[in-house]
Amino acid sequence: MKCRHIKKLASIDYETIITKFKARFCEKCGKKEDLYINFMTYETMCELHFARDQLQLKKDQLQVICKQFCNSIVALENTKIKDLIPMLEINKKNIRILGCTGLLNLGNTCYINTIIQALSSILCIKTYFLKYVIRSKAQGILMQFCELLDAMWRGERYYDPSRFLTFINGEIFTDMNRFRHQDTLEFFHFFHTTIDNNLKVQLGSNFFSDCFLWKTNISLQCIQCQTSSIVQEEFFELPLCIPQKEESKFFKDKSYNLMSDKDKFELEGMTNSIWKKAKLFVNSRSLRVISLYECLYSYFKTEKLDDQQNLRMCDHCNSKQESEKNQKIKSLPPVLVIALKRYYSTNTKIPLHVQLPIILNLNEFSQDKDLPLYELSSVISHKGDLHSGHYFAYCKHQETGFWFKFNDRKVSRRTEEQVLQKQAYIAFYTDNFVMRNVKKGKFSVPVEWFNRFKCIKNPMQIPFEKYICEHDKIKPGYSIEDFKKVRYDDVKNYTEREEIRKLKPCEECKKIV
């Protein structure tokens, strides 16, 4: 549920608002406290006299309020309001924005809160669950996740996720000890698997796995006979080891060439500025700085498998032989999850700073060299050691472009520079994809596919074979409600069929069943 008055706001007279912001008295009674500015009439009124069916700007906390909307704050989703905020030269800490709701820590649950905040800030995931899944017949953990996201996008200061955690405890962990330190990456893996399985079973959707699924081709070449074999690998998060100092030297120049001018400036600032060096040492207990690209070069480097335990069976030689391993990216998902392995085998934390590029270019590690650029959207950092500590999430708000720090129930603004100075554990990158605007037409497509089509760049081919029988009618188990009518021109790149216009249940297939 969102305030309907914010949609009626056609324009804002910024100069008048700024002038009225200097007013110290209610225009009706002269009261000095709790003053509001009406966005429609531009009157300055106290709480007793302001109009309750219109938007108000609360002066002392710089909050946009609608008394008819749950008697609470409305988000700065309106561009006109969003543009006004920087013009008001006062403390911005109390601005309330949709999607910037804190989550209560219910006993060492920061590892869950940070993942949920990162997922909530990803536009395609938020849109898919709040526009489509929440309206479906989904149950259990799917509906609980929808309700949690819905609560986080109402503009409330913080939310109690107790009910959601009850379902997490039942579906993911047999014994989720809230008072024991847990790994947030491990939680992401289990949560992703659970949501993905439920989407497939309840809605027949692969959306969640498609959002995160990396595909790489691993080429293994026998050194003896030079024949090659290719193995495809799939994973949902890319685990990167941090290269040793000597190894990192080989990749430094290559990494520098991949960086944008902005990333180079940030990296040079880290290594040259005395002030930044001091902050870096406080945060990471080390002055060593490397780029994420150095970790990527280390991961995708060519390896020689000559150890006795790593010898590969060569079909041509019909024996185990030494070989060379080379890995290249085959395809990328809309959301990249990159995890940095920050612990040695001795459980000692690796104290160095990995500089994250704002714009990530992975063409150097791909076989096609035609990959999209990805933008940094969230960073999860960890303070502490392997057995104790605390997780923080830093997320970029997609609608405003602001960065926010999520420390459980506490939410505060951060600059991009401050985020890049943090010791990253997990980084989320997103493809800069604009949601599609599809017009209504006569061509029928499955609703499940249509929802994917609206949210991600590559929704795959339309799976008509799943819904349409050999008689070109709807299979038993489905109905006309499972289809949506769109313009053929909008979806023609995803199908070879042009005749799916009039559909009805197949009576012949019903007889067979």
Side-chain angles (χ1 to χ4, degrees):
M1 179 180 177
K2 295 183 181 180
C3 169
R4 65 179 182 275
H5 301 110
I6 201 167
K7 298 179 180 179
K8 297 180 181 179
L9 198 62
S11 62
I12 296 178
D13 187 339
Y14 297 126
E15 294 184 4
T16 301
I17 289 284
I18 293 172
T19 301
K20 289 287 186 177
F21 209 79
K22 300 175 183 178
R24 299 182 179 180
F25 306 97
C26 171
E27 295 180 17
K28 290 284 187 181
C29 64
K31 185 180 177 180
K32 296 182 180 180
E33 295 85 17
D34 297 327
L35 298 181
Y36 300 79
I37 302 173
N38 191 306
F39 274 112
M40 301 296 289
T41 64
Y42 302 114
E43 295 175 309
T44 303
M45 299 291 182
C46 65
E47 189 169 7
L48 181 64
H49 294 104
F50 76 73
R52 296 181 179 272
D53 60 344
Q54 295 176 7
L55 289 177
Q56 321 286 332
L57 178 67
K58 190 174 183 180
K59 284 185 53 178
D60 59 347
Q61 294 183 332
L62 197 58
Q63 295 174 342
V64 182
I65 293 182
C66 174
K67 284 292 182 180
Q68 289 190 345
F69 177 69
C70 304
N71 196 31
S72 64
I73 314 301
V74 223
L76 303 183
E77 60 181 7
N78 188 290
T79 305
K80 301 174 184 63
I81 299 177
K82 183 180 70 177
D83 293 342
L84 171 67
I85 300 305
M87 301 179 185
L88 302 175
E89 297 178 351
I90 65 170
N91 194 332
K92 303 186 184 74
K93 289 184 179 179
N94 290 322
I95 297 177
R96 202 84 64 85
I97 299 178
L98 280 182
C100 292
T101 298
L103 295 173
L104 291 181
N105 190 321
L106 302 175
N108 257 14
T109 56
C110 59
Y111 71 100
I112 295 177
N113 291 347
T114 50
I115 289 296
I116 297 302
Q117 293 290 3
L119 294 177
S120 173
S121 68
I122 298 172
L123 189 59
C124 63
I125 292 178
K126 185 262 289 190
T127 303
Y128 185 79
F129 279 89
L130 290 188
K131 282 196 173 183
Y132 309 123
V133 178
I134 201 169
R135 298 174 185 171
S136 68
K137 299 177 182 178
Q139 299 176 353
I141 191 65
L142 291 183
M143 193 50 61
Q144 288 303 315
F145 185 47
C146 288
E147 290 178 2
L148 177 61
L149 290 178
D150 185 53
M152 294 169 67
W153 282 86
R154 289 179 192 159
E156 298 176 8
R157 188 177 296 279
Y158 57 85
Y159 180 73
D160 182 350
S162 300
R163 183 172 171 81
F164 174 74
L165 290 182
T166 300
F167 274 81
I168 290 294
N169 189 36
E171 296 213 20
I172 297 183
F173 297 98
T174 55
D175 179 24
M176 187 180 70
N177 188 340
R178 292 183 180 176
F179 300 97
R180 186 177 63 209
H181 193 61
Q182 306 277 3
D183 181 21
T184 191
L185 182 62
E186 184 179 7
F187 171 74
F188 170 76
H189 176 73
F190 284 120
F191 181 70
H192 167 274
T193 303
T194 302
I195 293 293
D196 185 42
N197 289 340
N198 275 270
L199 278 176
K200 289 176 180 176
V201 171
Q202 294 189 41
L203 303 180
S205 171
N206 295 320
F207 175 81
F208 214 64
S209 58
D210 289 345
C211 276
F212 299 100
L213 186 63
W214 297 61
K215 291 182 181 180
T216 61
N217 279 340
I218 299 177
S219 174
L220 297 169
Q221 184 177 45
C222 176
I223 294 177
Q224 178 69 24
C225 65
Q226 298 298 303
T227 57
S228 297
S229 60
I230 295 178
V231 178
Q232 183 173 291
E233 185 177 23
E234 297 180 349
F235 45 87
F236 298 112
E237 64 271 349
L238 180 66
L240 294 182
C241 293
I242 295 176
Q244 297 288 342
K245 196 170 184 178
E246 291 302 317
E247 181 188 8
S248 185
K249 290 180 181 178
F250 293 105
F251 309 127
K252 209 166 195 66
D253 291 339
K254 291 182 179 180
S255 300
Y256 194 79
N257 292 333
L258 290 181
M259 294 183 191
S260 65
D261 291 339
K262 189 175 183 180
D263 293 330
K264 291 176 183 177
F265 178 79
E266 287 291 338
L267 184 63
E268 290 167 357
M270 281 287 183
T271 54
N272 298 332
S273 168
I274 295 177
W275 170 243
K276 287 186 177 180
K277 277 186 176 181
K279 292 179 70 175
L280 182 64
F281 186 77
V282 170
N283 289 333
S284 65
R285 305 317 243 172
S286 172
L287 292 178
R288 186 182 167 205
V289 180
I290 66 172
S291 167
L292 181 68
Y293 286 118
E294 293 175 50
C295 301
L296 288 165
Y297 269 113
S298 177
Y299 183 85
F300 287 101
K301 68 183 178 184
T302 300
E303 294 182 69
K304 189 172 182 180
L305 306 179
D306 54 2
D307 186 88
Q308 192 65 32
Q309 295 180 343
N310 292 328
L311 295 181
R312 307 287 296 184
M313 174 62 73
C314 175
D315 293 335
H316 186 268
C317 298
N318 200 26
S319 62
K320 287 188 174 183
Q321 298 289 341
E322 295 180 358
S323 58
E324 277 191 348
K325 175 185 174 183
N326 188 26
Q327 186 170 195
K328 291 290 185 182
I329 294 171
K330 180 182 180 182
S331 64
L332 289 176
V335 183
L336 308 181
V337 181
I338 299 176
L340 296 168
K341 295 183 176 180
R342 285 200 167 272
Y343 288 92
Y344 296 114
S345 57
T346 57
N347 293 337
T348 304
K349 197 170 186 178
I350 301 175
L352 91 168
H353 183 78
V354 178
Q355 187 69 15
L356 301 176
I358 292 296
I359 303 298
L360 184 63
N361 183 352
L362 293 175
N363 280 300
E364 181 70 19
F365 314 102
S366 169
Q367 62 185 24
D368 296 330
K369 308 293 183 185
D370 190 25
L371 298 178
L373 297 178
Y374 286 77
E375 185 176 359
L376 183 66
S377 64
S378 298
V379 176
I380 293 178
S381 68
H382 178 257
K383 187 176 183 180
D385 56 32
L386 188 63
H387 305 290
S388 64
H390 188 63
Y391 291 100
F392 303 88
Y394 300 85
C395 304
K396 186 175 183 179
H397 193 267
Q398 298 300 316
E399 295 179 12
T400 63
F402 298 149
W403 280 93
F404 290 90
K405 175 184 178 181
F406 293 89
N407 178 14
D408 291 326
R409 65 182 288 175
K410 298 178 182 178
V411 182
S412 53
R413 281 275 302 276
R414 288 294 184 269
T415 65
E416 187 177 88
E417 183 182 21
Q418 288 173 320
V419 173
L420 294 177
Q421 290 173 355
K422 299 303 175 183
Q423 192 180 85
Y425 174 40
I426 305 175
F428 289 78
Y429 282 87
T430 54
D431 186 357
N432 197 9
F433 169 64
V434 179
M435 299 297 174
R436 293 183 174 98
N437 183 22
V438 184
K439 295 182 180 179
K440 190 174 181 179
K442 297 181 179 180
F443 190 80
S444 296
V445 297
V447 171
E448 188 274 325
W449 180 89
F450 176 75
N451 295 340
R452 290 160 50 88
F453 177 71
K454 291 273 287 185
C455 294
I456 57 179
K457 183 181 291 186
N458 184 14
M460 314 302 275
Q461 291 295 103
I462 302 176
F464 283 123
E465 66 281 357
K466 177 181 176 181
Y467 301 89
I468 306 298
C469 68
E470 59 184 5
H471 312 107
D472 276 342
K473 294 180 182 178
I474 302 174
K475 285 183 177 180
Y478 299 101
S479 68
I480 195 65
E481 295 179 355
D482 292 310
F483 292 84
K484 188 175 184 69
K485 291 185 178 296
V486 299
R487 291 197 320 168
Y488 174 73
D489 288 344
D490 289 334
V491 300
K492 63 182 179 181
N493 293 332
Y494 300 93
T495 180
E496 296 178 356
R497 305 185 65 165
E498 300 182 24
E499 73 283 2
I500 305 297
R501 301 184 183 278
K502 292 183 179 181
L503 285 174
K504 59 182 180 179
C506 184
E507 298 299 329
E508 295 182 51
C509 288
K510 280 184 180 181
K511 294 177 183 178
I512 298 175
V513 174

